[in-house]
Amino acid sequence: MNVRLYLWQRLTAVLMLPLILIHLAVIFYATSKGLKAADILARTRGSIAWASFYGVFVTAAAIHSVIGIRNILIEWSSLSKRGAGLLAIGLGITLLILGVRAVAAVVLP
Amino acid sequence: MLDPQSELSVTLWRGAEDGAYQTYQVPIRENQTILDVVSWVQRNLDPTLSYRFACRVGMCGSCAMTVNGRPRWTCRTHVSKVANDGRLEIGPLENLPIIKDLAADMRSFFEKWQQAKGVFTPSRTRDDTIEAIKPDTPARVAVDEAIECINCGVCYAACDTVRWNPDYLGPAALNRAWSLVNDVRDAGNVERLEAIAADGGCHACHSHQSCEQFCPQTLNPTASISGLKRRATQAYLQGEIKP
Amino acid sequence: MTKFLATRRQNILWISALVHRLSGLTLATFLPLHFLALGLAINGETQLEEFLRWTDWPIVKLAESGLVLLLVIHLLGGLRLLVIENFSWRNGQAKLAAAAAGISMIVAIVFLVRVF
């Protein structure tokens, strides 16, 4: 872990603090009357606000989690630093693609 | 047969990396330290036992070993405080290669000290006036809180980030770097901050605080490292360093 | 391994670092599954709705509550680190770590009670 990775990880963490609190509020609200696809999609379909919110959230989460995973790989696996870095980037790209796809799935009309 | 009323069962590491533990019976004495126990074995049971000590009064840090799984100064550790049912397990300091028996190879510990630029870089010569340092400035207070490190290696042996990350410079080296970063006389801070902002530098610390827990000088390397994180990040954002 | 853990389990900050790491790892493993589930909406409402009916099962509600626990404990543990790293040193880290655990459990229990 160096100063660059540290900054990216801590800054995405700070960015996600309010995002997670909002997400938790959404979770509590959405599950209060049983989780229904129709209700969820009624909120998200065609919503620029939700698209932006979750777009930012997904990107921050992908960056943040992958730096953490790289640390775990370096410290707990026998991968080299380079190998850990490459695997982490691969996982990050996968998360980003899946995340953007998920946002598109619920937001696109 | 071990008489638990009057004898301790003491297990000591013998050999190098491929060695093994060996058990000895040592008479219990009042006010016995771990160093007393190790010395008794070497003098009465096995003269081939290798171990380090010097001052035996808690000043030099030479006698640091792993006692029942944790690093301590053996001259300042009373048997009564750590023996589990009259049993002791003593080994060399962890996270370091073993030379023989209870003596660990401290070279990598000192090499990382150098890597962290834990060396004072003067800004004045003998021909200049001596710089006046007030002891109550925040910078000097920070230095004084970190400066009593005597390089005993206990924090390094206690640290699991050292254990898991071979690049990690470790609490002692970083603590010393912090004391120099705050020393207004020092001229080497660009190189030093670059060294501790690189991979394996202060940002690798996970704040377990094992170093603070075990430091026999009651220092707090975690606090020093937190300070370094702030300084290094600030210097990086302001373009002062390019690690 | 057991000897290793036995010597560290008295250090609450070491435990909280382990919890932080394991909760993060679990959340990072859950995340792609979460994205795949939401991605079911790509083909319209029905596939997502079918999947969401699993959430009526009590065991799934329990798992959801566990995820909420992990999310909150990871957030609070991270917040504690941000405080250590960005403000001047304060003692009493152990109390903060314990408080983080306590608050997370309360939030998770409230969630569990509400979904049942």
Side-chain angles (χ1 to χ4, degrees), chain B residues 21 68-70 89 94 160 163-164 206-210 213 220 222-223 226 229-230, chain C residues 3-4 7-8 10-11 13-14 17 21 80-81 83-89 91 93:
Chain B
Y21 281 106
N68 287 351
R70 297 318 270 146
E89 187 182 270
E94 295 193 321
D160 281 330
R163 171 187 281 254
W164 294 328
H206 295 301
S207 301
H208 295 145
Q209 278 185 245
S210 301
Q213 190 188 356
N220 189 346
T222 308
S226 302
K229 285 172 176 169
R230 287 193 286 281
Chain C
K3 202 166 86 169
F4 177 80
T7 52
R8 276 131 182 94
Q10 296 114 357
N11 182 351
L13 297 177
W14 190 90
R21 173 167 282 191
R80 187 182 65 84
L81 282 179
V83 167
I84 297 178
E85 293 172 352
N86 292 291
F87 299 101
S88 47
W89 184 264
N91 286 319
Q93 294 299 323

Side-chain angles (χ1 to χ4, degrees), chain C residues 1-113:
Chain C
M1 174 70 111
T2 34
K3 202 166 86 169
F4 177 80
L5 289 171
T7 52
R8 276 131 182 94
R9 64 156 184 248
Q10 296 114 357
N11 182 351
I12 191 177
L13 297 177
W14 190 90
I15 293 176
S16 92
L18 184 69
V19 165
H20 189 71
R21 173 167 282 191
L22 293 179
S23 62
L25 190 57
T26 311
L27 290 166
T29 313
F30 160 75
L31 210 51
L33 304 172
H34 186 47
F35 291 159
L36 283 169
L38 288 166
L40 290 172
I42 247 177
N43 294 318
E45 197 184 288
T46 353
Q47 271 194 320
L48 181 60
E49 176 61 29
E50 261 171 42
F51 177 82
L52 286 178
R53 292 300 32 92
W54 285 94
T55 64
D56 296 332
W57 288 54
I59 190 99
V60 175
K61 292 183 201 276
L62 196 61
E64 288 175 339
S65 171
L67 280 167
V68 167
L69 176 75
L70 292 177
L71 184 59
V72 179
I73 211 166
H74 190 80
L75 184 152
L76 291 177
L79 195 55
R80 187 182 65 84
L81 282 179
L82 287 172
V83 167
I84 297 178
E85 293 172 352
N86 292 291
F87 299 101
S88 47
W89 184 264
R90 63 222 36 239
N91 286 319
Q93 294 299 323
K95 276 193 277 218
L96 285 178
I103 294 173
S104 314
M105 283 194 262
I106 292 173
V107 174
I109 290 172
V110 169
F111 173 85
L112 191 60
V113 164

Side-chain angles (χ1 to χ4, degrees), chain B residues 32 44 51 65 75 91 127 145 168 186:
Chain B
Q32 207 171 19
N44 297 284
Y51 66 108
M65 299 177 208
C75 70
D127 306 311
E145 281 171 357
Y168 183 47
D186 188 280

